[in-house]
Amino acid sequence: MNLYIDPSNGLVVAIGCAVGYWVYRRPATGTNAQTPAPQRDLVGGTAAALATILILAFLFGLGDGQNTDVTGGDPPPTSTAQPTGAAATNTTP
C-alpha cells in the first residue's frame, strides 16, 4: 500500500522537525557558571515542532492533498431555454 504525501506537506513537516530538533539541542542556559550542564528539553522541542507545523499549515493553506478548486476535464453541460406559453404554441409550419 502506497501513501502519497504532497511535497509541500512533507516540506512543512520537515521544517517543523528541524525547528523541534534545534530547540531540543539548544537548551536555555543560566548565567551562573557553577551550575551543571543544562538538560535537553524534549517537551519544548516537541511543542516547538508542532507549533511550527501548525503555523506553516495555516500560512500555506495545506489540507489533505485533495484539490477541490482545480477544474479539469469536460465543462459542465449548459442548459438550453425552451420557449413556454404563447411563444411555444405560435409556431408556423
Side-chain angles (χ1 to χ4, degrees), residues 12-84:
V12 166
V13 171
I15 291 171
C17 290
V19 168
Y21 181 71
W22 182 76
V23 169
Y24 172 73
R25 295 287 293 176
R26 299 275 185 184
T29 57
T31 57
N32 190 357
Q34 295 179 351
T35 59
Q39 295 293 322
R40 294 194 164 113
D41 189 11
L42 180 63
V43 175
T46 304
L50 292 176
T52 303
I53 291 170
L54 181 67
I55 290 170
L56 289 177
F58 279 129
L59 181 67
F60 293 129
L62 302 179
D64 58 357
Q66 296 178 354
N67 294 331
T68 57
D69 59 345
V70 174
T71 59
D74 296 331
T78 58
S79 63
T80 57
Q82 299 292 329
T84 59

